[in-house]
Amino acid sequence: MMYYIENEYLEVGIDPKGAELFSIYNKQHEIDYVWGADPEFWGKSSPVLFPIVGGLKDNTYFFEDKEYSLPRHGFARDYEFEVEDHWDDGISFLLRSNEETLKVYPFKFELRLVYELYANLLSVTYHVTNVGEKDMYFSIGGHPAFNVPLEKGLNYDDFHLEFETDEAFMRWPLTEKGLILEEPVALLGVTEIEDEIVVNESNKLPLTKELFHQDALVFKQLNSTSVTLKSENSSRSLRFDFAGFPYLGIWAAKNADFVCIEPWCGIADSVSHSQNITEKEGINFLPAGEVFERAWAVKIN
């Protein structure tokens, strides 16, 4: 059973498996902004990344001298969430730790996802509660995929991502196994000015399908907290707000007609990581009984 929330502007669909967003339908323009999960390219539309983001070195981590294994992006996307509350323009989903999760992730938790509509804006909030008796370590993130182009008659490369401020776009490359390399690369190149090497900056990132042929673009600590998917040839656009997320991934499956804008509180292991989860870059520490909260939002135009 799929669940829907709506108001006069939007109808939003969510699958309780993984509490996964699968549709943001603009009623006025009769356009769905979310990728339709075509399995020929990528059979997902917006998986929830928990309790890790990205991959682990050898798919393995250690905690209190014990070895555990987790797949890339964790397990939340594979579980059926319980519907806690459902109202016209909002819905709350809940996943609790269980015997299965405790075998691979030794922390007791409650993970809530709350979807709420405010006019033409969808807010998605993550609530992570440590219901155990010991400190909890985790990462969490989003992976929403948006259709490109947003309008018939246009091409993929008619669109670009426009950040709220200029960025150096220092990309952290991934190995074939999905691990972060030690040094970033200037995505837009560098310029030599008076014997000094200066990283080129811009607030625009043109979209091409070739951009993602070497996996995701991974950024750390951008200056911007929002980005807009738009085209000079279209009145259709969306603004994505990700304040509070220190990492951002941009990705598309090879030659597919979508782009993922991925806000992350966490990141894949580096090639030199110790595999101790308490030492993992970007890991979130949550004492017993406390709640962690982050939210991203997408405004549809």
Side-chain angles (χ1 to χ4, degrees):
M1 178 180 177
M2 302 298 179
Y3 290 86
Y4 293 87
I5 59 176
E6 65 178 307
N7 60 17
E8 61 182 301
Y9 302 97
L10 302 173
E11 180 185 73
V12 171
I14 308 105
D15 188 338
K17 183 178 180 181
E20 183 172 1
L21 173 71
F22 69 84
S23 175
I24 303 176
Y25 183 75
N26 184 313
K27 295 180 177 181
Q28 179 183 356
H29 302 296
E30 299 183 337
I31 295 173
D32 197 331
Y33 282 63
V34 174
W35 163 251
D38 181 350
E40 181 181 345
F41 295 96
W42 186 55
K44 294 284 187 180
S45 56
S46 183
V48 177
L49 317 183
F50 177 87
I52 59 168
V53 170
L56 298 172
K57 195 174 183 180
D58 300 323
N59 292 324
T60 301
Y61 71 94
F62 295 89
F63 179 70
E64 294 182 340
D65 297 323
K66 292 184 180 179
E67 179 179 325
Y68 299 90
S69 181
L70 282 173
R72 190 173 189 178
H73 295 322
F75 52 66
R77 57 185 174 172
D78 298 320
Y79 277 92
E80 194 83 8
F81 280 63
E82 165 192 343
V83 176
E84 262 198 320
D85 197 7
H86 188 191
W87 58 104
D88 288 346
D89 55 0
I91 190 167
S92 174
F93 292 91
L94 171 64
L95 176 66
R96 292 184 173 96
S97 53
N98 54 52
E99 288 185 6
E100 271 190 353
T101 68
L102 289 169
K103 291 175 183 176
V104 295
Y105 181 67
F107 304 100
K108 295 180 180 179
F109 66 85
E110 291 181 347
L111 170 60
R112 286 175 174 82
L113 260 76
V114 181
Y115 293 88
E116 295 177 283
L117 287 172
Y118 301 93
N120 61 333
L121 181 144
L122 172 66
S123 170
V124 181
T125 306
Y126 305 122
H127 302 267
V128 180
T129 305
N130 182 352
V131 296
E133 297 177 351
K134 59 185 177 183
D135 297 333
M136 177 178 169
Y137 297 86
F138 71 97
S139 299
I140 194 164
H143 204 307
F146 301 105
N147 286 318
V148 182
L150 290 174
E151 194 172 347
K152 290 182 179 179
L154 296 178
N155 299 314
Y156 194 91
D157 55 10
D158 288 323
F159 283 78
H160 64 272
L161 294 172
E162 186 169 300
F163 290 76
E164 65 177 331
T165 187
D166 282 353
E167 301 285 353
F169 292 125
M170 298 300 292
R171 173 190 185 181
W172 292 82
L174 294 162
T175 69
E176 289 184 1
K177 294 183 177 181
L179 303 180
I180 302 290
L181 291 176
E182 297 290 350
E183 296 293 336
V185 174
L187 186 62
L188 302 182
V190 297
T191 302
E192 185 174 343
I193 301 176
E194 296 179 354
D195 297 326
E196 182 179 351
I197 300 298
V198 178
V199 175
N200 296 333
E201 294 190 0
S202 176
N203 71 330
K204 291 185 179 181
L205 188 59
L207 289 180
T208 66
K209 293 184 175 179
E210 293 75 21
L211 190 62
F212 308 108
H213 284 184
Q214 296 180 14
D215 211 329
L217 309 181
V218 177
F219 302 113
K220 301 181 183 183
Q221 304 291 348
L222 292 172
N223 297 315
S224 301
T225 59
S226 71
V227 59
T228 300
L229 173 62
K230 63 191 300 187
S231 169
E232 307 301 339
N233 303 320
S234 175
S235 58
R236 306 281 76 79
S237 67
L238 65 85
R239 189 190 75 208
F240 192 90
D241 296 304
F242 56 95
F245 292 85
Y247 306 97
L248 189 73
I250 309 290
W251 176 78
K254 191 172 182 179
N255 299 325
D257 288 331
F258 70 82
V259 64
C260 288
I261 305 174
E262 306 177 37
W264 297 339
C265 287
I267 195 170
D269 280 355
S270 72
V271 293
S272 61
H273 179 48
S274 69
Q275 297 179 271
N276 185 334
I277 195 170
T278 65
E279 299 171 352
K280 181 174 172 59
E281 180 183 357
I283 201 72
N284 297 280
F285 164 78
L286 190 61
E290 295 198 6
V291 181
F292 173 98
E293 181 179 313
R294 289 291 186 278
W296 54 265
V298 55
K299 186 175 183 180
I300 302 298
N301 296 307

